[in-house]
Amino acid sequence: MRCLPTLRAAIARVLAGAALLGLCSVAQAQSLLAQRWDFNDPAGTALPAALNSAPTGAPGQWIYGLANTETTGTGALRIGHVGSIGYSAAPLNIASADVYAGTVVIQPWDIRNGGANYAASTRPVFNFGFRTAAGTATSGGSLVADVQFSATAAGIVVVIRDSLSTFPVVTLPAQLGGTLTASLKVDKRVLPNVYTLNYDVAGGTGLSGVVTATAAAGAASNTRTISHAALAFSGNFPGTTNAAGTGPNTPPAIDTIAISYNELPVVDLPAANGRPSRKSNLLTFFDGNPVQSTQPPIGGPGLLLMGGGAEVNEAFTGKAYPIINGGDIVVLRISGSNGYQPYFFNTLVNELPAAAQAMLKPNSVETLFVDTREKANSAYVANSVARANMIWIAGGDQSPYIENWRDTALAAAVKAAYQRGAIIGGTSAGMVVSAEWMYDPGALLAVTSAEAVANPYRASMILSATKLFDLPLGFNLLAEPHFQDRDRMGRTLAFMARLRKDARSSLLYGVALDERTALFIDKDKIGTFSRAPLVAGKAAGDGYILREDRRKTTMSQVAAGLPLIYRNVQRVKLAPGQSFDFARGLSAQPALSLNVEGVVPTNPY
C-alpha cells in the first residue's frame, strides 16, 4: 500500500511528536516540507541518465558513489552493491531549525538469508540520516544521527546511531510484505538532543512503532547550532545476487525521500541575575554561579595560544587560573559542543594544588555559540565577554569567526577584557584569530607551503584586511597552529613576507605551534612554551618563533606570480619551560637562519 499523497501530513505528525500509525487516514496538514524527491514516477527515475531528481527550485543533483550502483530501476532509486549515494548540492542549511526530520519510503523489501550468508562486517546494511559536512553527504563531517537497517539471522535489525552511541529499535522480518516508511526526527530544543524514530510497515502487518533516544552529552550532534545538516545514506550489499529482482538480499528500492524542518519563533528571554535579556536563538551552556563574579584578574593580561589537538592542561593550571582568580570564563564558538564546560569547571580545577582549588575554581563557565553578527552585537554577549576573566576561543574555521565577529560589540568586549587584565586565547582557529594578523581563506581550500612559496600573491593567499580584536600587545603577531603536523613553515614565511612587502606591518613575529603545545605570553610580553604529555607513546611537538633581523633579513623577491626569495629569517625553537621576550626580540635559545630560495626550505623544523 502506497500513501505518498499523505507524506506531507505524516511529516507534520512526526515533527509534532505524533506516530505514523494510520498514515493513510491522516488529514492533510500544513506543509513543513523543505525538500522531497519522488522516485516512483511513471517513467522511473534513472540514474545517472539525468543526474537529477532535484525538485523544482532546488539546486543540485543526485550523484552515485561507488561502482555498481544500480541506475536502471523502473520507478525506484537503488543504492546497489557496496554503493553509496549523496545529494551533491550544498548541504541543507538548517542552522535555525529546532526540529528537523528525514523520511524514507521503501518498497516491500526482502533480505532473507542475509544474516546467515554474510559475516557481520559484510552483511547487507542500509543507513539513512544526517551528517555535518559540506560537499557530498556520504563522506566527511560527523554523524549527527541516522537509522541503520542491517541483515541478521533474526531479521532486519533497526537501530538509531549518533557519533557516540547506538540505540536499539526493533527487529523486523527479513521479508517485508508492505511499504516501509521511516522518519527520524532530531529535536534540538533540548539538551542532550532527542532522537525519535517512527516506523510503519504498510499492509496491516502491525509492524509500527515509535522509539525515542537521548544523545550522549559529547555527541557531535548535541548542539542546536549545526551550521549544515547534510542528508546522508549509504549501503553495503555484497555478492552477486543483489541485482534487482534476482532473489534475496536485494538492495532497498526507495520510493521517496523527504527532508523537513520546523523553525520555532525567536523570543526575548528576560534579564536575570544582573545579566541582560537575550534572544532564545542564542545557544548557551552554563555551569556555576549565575551571578557574575566581581573578582578582578590578578597579574594579567595574558595571551594563551594553543596549536590544536589536545589542550595543554599545564598552561591553564600553571599560568591562566592564577590570573583568572576565581572569576568567570567565557568560551566563544560558532559550532561544536559543550565540551569545555566540564573541562574548565571541574577537570582543570582537580589538577590544581589542593590548597588552591577552592580559591581558583571559576565562578562560572559559559559557552556562547555566536554564529551571526546580530548575536555578536547583542547586549548579552557583550556583557558576558567584557566581564569575563578569561575568554577562550574554540577551534574550527577562522573565516566564520572573522566574518561574524569583526567590528562588533563582541570584538570590542574582548579588547576591553584584555585591557582590564583578562586572558584571551584559543586553540587552532581560535589561536589564529587571537593574533594580530589572520589567514582568512573563506571558502577556498587552505593554501599549502609549496603553493604559497611558489606565488605569495596567489588567490588563496588571503590575509584579513583588518585585525579582529586589535589587542594592545605592543608588537605584531601572526599565528600558525598545526605547524609541523601540516608542514606550514613555507606558508608562514610567505605570509610574513607579504605583510612586510605590503607595508601592513613593521616589526612582526610569527608564532608557530605544533599540536598539543601552548605559548603563554604574560603582561611583560614574555612567552613561555609548554606541551601536553605523551599520548599513546607519542610526544607533543615544538614551538617556533619566526622574526626578521633588521641587519640580515632581505626580501629579494616578493611579487605576484613569482617564487618567493626571502633570506635570513630567524627561527627560534622552544622546548617546555623555554621562553621568548617579545618586547626585546630576544631568547636564550639559539636562532637558526632560514632562507627561502623559491622553494620551501629543506628541513626547517
Side-chain angles (χ1 to χ4, degrees):
M1 178 170 61
R2 191 162 173 269
C3 308
L4 291 179
T6 60
L7 178 63
R8 190 182 301 268
I11 293 172
R13 288 176 61 84
V14 170
L15 289 174
L20 285 170
L21 305 180
L23 175 61
C24 292
S25 63
V26 176
Q28 185 79 1
Q30 183 177 0
S31 172
L32 294 170
L33 196 64
Q35 293 190 27
R36 165 177 162 170
W37 298 270
D38 183 3
F39 298 99
N40 202 353
D41 55 70
T45 301
L47 298 177
L51 287 177
N52 61 357
S53 287
T56 302
Q61 58 188 353
W62 287 98
I63 60 172
Y64 63 95
L66 303 178
N68 300 321
T69 299
E70 286 195 63
T71 62
T72 57
T74 56
L77 168 66
R78 295 183 187 275
I79 289 183
H81 319 298
V82 199
S84 58
I85 286 191
Y87 190 60
S88 66
L92 178 67
N93 190 333
I94 56 170
S96 60
D98 290 272
V99 185
Y100 58 95
T103 299
V104 60
V105 180
I106 301 172
Q107 292 178 6
W109 191 18
D110 181 0
I111 57 170
R112 285 174 294 174
N113 303 319
N117 287 354
Y118 298 108
S121 60
T122 58
R123 65 169 54 119
V125 171
F126 172 56
N127 309 307
F128 173 81
F130 299 97
R131 299 186 76 87
T132 61
T136 61
T138 54
S139 63
S142 299
L143 176 66
V144 176
D146 71 5
V147 183
Q148 181 177 84
F149 305 87
S150 59
T152 71
I156 302 171
V157 173
V158 184
V159 299
I160 301 170
R161 306 183 306 165
D162 66 13
S163 62
L164 290 182
S165 307
T166 298
F167 308 97
V169 176
V170 69
T171 298
L172 298 172
Q175 182 179 19
L176 299 179
T179 299
L180 169 63
T181 301
S183 287
L184 176 66
K185 179 181 75 172
V186 180
D187 190 339
K188 313 186 84 57
R189 294 171 298 182
V190 294
L191 292 166
N193 297 160
V194 174
Y195 314 128
T196 302
L197 176 65
N198 281 255
Y199 64 92
D200 177 66
V201 180
T205 61
L207 297 173
S208 300
V210 181
V211 174
T212 298
T214 301
S221 61
N222 196 29
T223 167
R224 282 165 46 195
T225 61
I226 291 175
S227 58
H228 293 91
L231 175 67
F233 58 108
S234 58
N236 177 35
F237 299 94
T240 59
T241 64
N242 296 333
T246 61
N249 310 325
T250 303
I254 300 171
D255 273 355
T256 302
I257 293 170
I259 304 295
S260 51
Y261 61 89
N262 182 19
E263 296 187 56
L264 298 183
V266 177
V267 298
D268 289 315
L269 301 178
N273 300 307
R275 299 171 185 266
S277 170
R278 66 178 175 89
K279 299 289 186 182
S280 60
N281 64 346
L282 173 64
L283 176 63
T284 70
F285 293 96
F286 192 91
D287 288 287
N289 184 357
V291 178
Q292 288 173 307
S293 172
T294 58
Q295 287 284 94
I298 295 179
L303 186 66
L304 180 54
L305 306 175
M306 293 192 184
E311 283 74 16
V312 184
N313 293 10
E314 176 190 336
F316 287 116
T317 57
K319 299 292 186 181
Y321 271 57
I323 294 174
I324 296 169
N325 188 33
D328 298 312
I329 296 175
V330 166
V331 178
L332 296 175
R333 62 192 318 155
I334 280 182
S335 62
S337 69
N338 62 344
Y340 279 118
Q341 292 295 125
Y343 177 71
F344 284 138
F345 197 65
N346 292 315
T347 303
L348 291 177
V349 174
N350 291 335
E351 295 187 11
L352 292 167
Q357 290 181 8
M359 180 178 63
L360 297 184
K361 184 179 179 69
N363 178 67
S364 72
V365 178
E366 183 175 27
T367 298
L368 300 173
F369 288 77
V370 188
D371 55 355
T372 67
R373 293 186 64 81
E374 178 185 15
K375 294 174 185 176
N377 278 312
S378 70
Y380 185 92
V381 168
N383 174 271
S384 293
V385 171
R387 296 185 60 171
N389 284 8
M390 184 173 82
I391 296 106
W392 183 254
I393 305 167
D397 181 350
Q398 63 259 34
S399 292
Y401 289 163
I402 297 167
E403 176 184 354
N404 289 293
W405 299 352
R406 180 189 288 157
D407 299 323
T408 65
L410 179 153
V414 171
K415 182 175 182 178
Y418 182 86
Q419 288 174 315
R420 69 174 183 81
I423 293 172
I424 312 299
T427 183
S428 188
M431 169 184 168
V432 173
V433 299
S434 298
E436 295 269 290
W437 297 107
M438 301 162 290
Y439 175 45
D440 182 14
L444 298 177
L445 290 175
V447 66
T448 66
S449 284
E451 292 169 340
V453 169
N455 178 9
Y457 284 87
R458 64 181 289 119
S460 54
M461 285 284 290
I462 304 173
L463 289 159
S464 59
T466 60
K467 302 170 184 178
L468 181 55
F469 302 132
D470 194 23
L471 302 180
L473 300 175
F475 53 90
N476 293 300
L477 193 63
L478 172 75
E480 273 277 31
H482 308 285
F483 195 55
Q484 278 196 75
D485 310 84
R486 302 182 187 179
D487 191 20
R488 288 179 167 175
M489 180 69 82
R491 83 174 200 180
T492 305
L493 292 169
F495 286 145
M496 292 177 63
R498 276 282 304 275
L499 287 167
R500 294 285 288 113
K501 179 68 174 181
D502 297 344
R504 296 178 63 186
S505 176
S506 52
L507 179 63
L508 174 67
Y509 294 108
V511 172
L513 298 178
D514 293 340
E515 293 180 1
R516 298 189 289 129
T517 70
L519 187 75
F520 180 78
I521 304 175
D522 65 22
K523 63 181 178 62
D524 297 319
K525 317 306 178 189
I526 304 296
T528 304
F529 178 77
S530 58
R531 65 163 66 114
L534 292 172
V535 175
K538 180 182 178 182
D542 300 301
Y544 302 87
I545 310 299
L546 303 173
R547 65 176 180 86
E548 291 188 346
D549 185 311
R550 295 183 183 275
R551 297 168 299 172
K552 299 178 181 179
T553 304
T554 60
M555 295 184 294
S556 300
Q557 184 168 278
V558 187
L562 296 174
L564 175 66
I565 301 178
Y566 190 30
R567 299 188 177 106
N568 291 314
V569 179
Q570 304 301 295
R571 186 224 71 182
V572 176
K573 183 176 180 178
L574 299 177
Q578 296 176 346
S579 62
F580 186 90
D581 185 340
F582 287 91
R584 299 188 297 163
L586 299 175
S587 174
Q589 312 313 311
L592 173 69
S593 288
L594 296 178
N595 296 312
V596 182
E597 303 288 351
V599 295
V600 179
T602 301
N603 192 26
Y605 302 105

